[in-house]
Amino acid sequence: MEYNHKQIEKKWQNYWDEKQSFKAETGNEKESYYILVEFPYPSAAGLHVGHVRSYTAQDALARMKRMQGYNILYPMGWDAFGAPAEQYAIKNHIHPKAAVQESIRNFKGQMKDLGFSFDWSREFSTTDPEYYKWTQWQFLQFYKHGMAYKDTVPVNWCPTCKSVLSNEDAAGGVCERCGDTVVQKEKSQWMLRMSDYSEDLLKGLDDTNFADRVKLGQINWIGKSTGVELDVEIVGGGKFSVFTTCIETIYGITFFVIAPDGKLIKELMPRVTNKEEVNKYIQETAKKSSMDRTELNKGKTGCRVEGIMAINPVNGKEVPIFLGDFVLGDYGTGAVMAVPSHDQRDFEYAEEHKLEMIQVIDGRDTDKQAFEKQDYLNKDCKLINSEEFTGLTVEEAKEAITEKLVNEGIARKVNNYKMRDWVFSRQRFWGEPIPMIYCEKCGWQPMKEEDLPLLLPDVAEYEPTEDGESPLANITDWVNTTCPCCGGAAKRETDTMPNWAGSSWYFLRFMDPHNDKEFASMDAMKYWKKVDWYNGGMEHTARHLLYARFWVQFLYNIGLVPNKEMIWTRVSHGMVLGNNNEKMSKSKGNVINPDDIVNEYGADTLRLYEMFMGDYTQDAPWSTDSLRGCRRFIDKVIRLKDKIGAGEGYSKELESIIHKTIKKVQNDLTTMAYNTAVSSLMILANSMDDKKSITKDEYHLLLTLLNPIAPHITEELNEMSGFKPLCETAWPTYDESKTIDSEKEIPVQINGKVKATVKIALDEEESSVKEKVYSAVENLLEGKNIVKEIYVKNKIYNIVVK
RNA sequence: GCCGAUGUGGCGGAAUUGGCAGACGCACUAGACUCAAAAUCUAGCGGGAAACCAUGUGGGUUCGAGUCCCACCAUCGGUACCA
C-alpha cells in the first residue's frame, strides 16, 4: 500500500471531528478522568516541537484511558494576555486582540494537524470577556474577604524606557530591551495576601501526588524556617525585635544589624546622632538594584547607628547597632542579632567593621571563619561562655534558652516564610483590568459584580505613559467613572492583572466552560473532582503551580470549590533541544518547525518519534535520523498487513509476547515511560515480522496498542482490515499468567562471574537445577573447594569456590 | 554558596529496582536483490588475540553493584546574604 500520510491523517481528523469522538460529557455515568496540559501562550512563532512532546504524551494517555472506558476530559485553551502580545502589537501596529486571534488560529490549526484528541467544544482564551469576567469576579472575592490590599512596594524601573519591568525582564539588573541599569522605584500596587496561606500551601502538598521534585520546588519556594522572635531593649527606652533560628548563640551577640530599607531605622532616626551618615547609606542602598544588593562577595557594607545601644536580654550587655544591606527589610523583623563566631555573614561584617567576637559553642576554632549551625548541630557540641547554659549541648540549650525567654515574656516561637504576598498589579494594557474604583470621598471601592466584565477599551495606543503608568491611564473617558458607593466622580484603577491570574483557575473553567452564571458550577466540579494528571514545564512547577494552588485554596475557604487541592498529579517534561544539544532558538538556527515534519513525514511519525526520543522527564536533543527510523517502523507496520493469513485469535508462538506487550504498554503509558512503550511495540512488530503469516486478530491487537501514539495510520490500517474504528474499540486486557514464561535461561556464576547458562522450568526444584548447573560447569569446579552456593529462584545460581 | 537533576558504546537511550550491562532505535560495515540507486532483506557492530577489562573518579558493603553507602569530579537547571 502506498502511504499517503497527508490524505490519511486528514481523513481521520475529519472523522473524529464529525463524530465528536473526544467530547467530554459532564455528569455521565462513566468514571471521570481529567488530563490537563498547560495551555500555551499563543505566540506568533507557532507551536514548538516541545509542545508536541507533552501534548502527545498526554494525548496517548487520554486515548488509552478512553478506550479503557473512562470519561476523559482533555481540554485545550489559550493563555493569551501578557507582555509578548503587547510588545508584538506595539511593534507591528496592530491591536493585541488581533495579533492573539491570528496566533490562536495558527496554533489550533497546528494542533488539529497533529491529531490531538482535545475536546474543542470547551476551548476558551483568558482574553475572552466571558472568561476574564470571572477572573475579575474572583479578584473582587479576594478583595471582599480582605485578601487584596494596596501597598507601596519597590518595582523594577528602567529610567530609559520609563517602564516598570517584571523580574524576568530585569534579569541581571539590566533592562532586557535597552540594557540600561534597572533601579528600584516605589509604587502603589495591589497585593494578594498569599503569605497568609504559607502553612496551608505547605500542608496541602500532602493531599497531592506531585512528583517529589515538584513538591520540593514548592517547599523551597515557601521557605519555612522555625525560630524565635526576641525582644531587644534599647538603652534609654524603646525596643525592637529580631528573628533567629539559633537562639543557642545568644551569649555570642556582639552587635545588631538592621535593614536600611526597613521601618525600624525610620523609627529610630530621631535618636540617631550621625543622621547624615545613616541617611547616606540608606540612599545608597535604595539606589542599588535588587541584583547588586544580593550579589555575593560584594563585601559587607554598612554603617554604625550612633547614639543608640541595644541590650542583650540574657546578660544585660550593651552592644552597638549597625545598618547593613545584607539584612532585608521584608523578611523576619528586618533586624538580626549578630553572632560573628557562629554566622559567616556576621563574621564577615565584624571583620570589615572590626567588631568583637565571642565564641559560645565549643568544637572548632572561629579565628578564620564562623562555626556555623550546619557544622555544629547534632554533633554533640557544648556551649561555652554562656553563664548557666554553659556545658549544655546545643540541642539542650536551644530548648532551655527558648523556654526561659518565653517564660519571661520577651520571646515567642515563630515561623517565618520566604514567600511574600503576591504583587498583583502590572502597568500594562494587555491584561485583565482590575475592577476597582478610586473615589476621593470613599476611597477604593470594588465595582458592582453585576457590572462585570470590565472590558478593556478599544484604543490605538498601547505604549505606557511617561511616568510608567499603565497605557490605560491615558484613556480619559475610560478612567473617569462614578463611585459605586456615593455616585460621585471617581477614577478607575488603570493597572491590569498579571499573566498568572488567568492561568490560576483555568482548569476549573474547563470543567464548565460555558457557564454564564458562575465561573463553574459546583455540580460540574464535583463530577470532574480534580485534575487527575497535570503536565507542564519544569519552569512552572514553582510559581504557576503555587499561584494556582493558592487561588484554589482561597476559593475553597469561601465555599466555591469542592476540594482544597484541585490538582492531584503534577508531572513535568524535559525540553526538546536542538540537534546540537542546545536550547532551540532562532539565533542558533536549530529550530525545528513541527509543520515541516508533519508535511514531510506525517503527524504519526512525529508523535512516535517524540515519544521514543528518550526519558520523558529529561531533556532530549532532536535527531532527524532517529525520526526517519520511526517512519520506517510505521512502514513496517503497514507491510505487516500483507502477512495476515487465514487463522483467528492469537497463535501459540505470539500469545506470550502479546500479553506481555499489552501489560508493558499499559503500564508505561501511565508511568510516563513512553520510550519503552514504543520499543516494546517495535519488539512485538519484529516478532510478527519473523513469522510467515499472522492472524488478523494479532494485527488488530498491534494496531490497537499503537493507536494512542500513532492514531491516524492505525485507524486506517484497522479499517482496511475490516474492524470498526479503534476510537470506538475497547482496550485489550492481558492475562497475567500468560505473561510469565514457563521456561527460563538462568546464568551460572562462579565467584560472581557468569560462566554458563542453564535452561530451567519455572519454579523447578532446586535439586534438579543444581544438577543441571553442576553438569554445565563441571570442568571449572575440578579441584576447587566449594565454599558457598547461592540460588535465587528462577534468577541466578552462584557458586563460591576457593 | 545552597537545593535539585544528570553522568552507561560513535549517538538517543534500556536494564523486571541488588542478579547475563548495552533492550529498542540511529549511525556505520559487509553481503543479497538491482544495469545502478533508493527501499527491503541477511549478518556484524563497547575494548581486547586471549585471559579478561568496561556504566564520570576513588574507596566501601555484598556470593554478586550501573543500581546501596562514603568521598570527590564534571555538566545542566533552580535560587541568591532568608537571620
Side-chain angles (χ1 to χ4, degrees), chain A residues 60 223 296 316 372 384 394 403 410 435 492 519 554 672 690 717 742 746:
Chain A
L296 280 169
E372 294 195 277
I384 51 173
V394 167
E403 203 192 320
I410 56 168
R492 290 190 194 285
F519 65 85
F554 167 73
M672 295 187 296
D690 286 343
L717 294 168
S742 58
I746 64 160

Side-chain angles (χ1 to χ4, degrees), chain A residues 423-443:
Chain A
V423 181
F424 203 68
S425 298
R426 295 293 183 274
Q427 291 69 44
R428 303 225 170 250
F429 171 78
W430 192 234
E432 301 89 343
I434 295 174
M436 297 295 293
I437 293 170
Y438 186 75
C439 168
E440 291 286 340
K441 216 162 45 180
C442 314

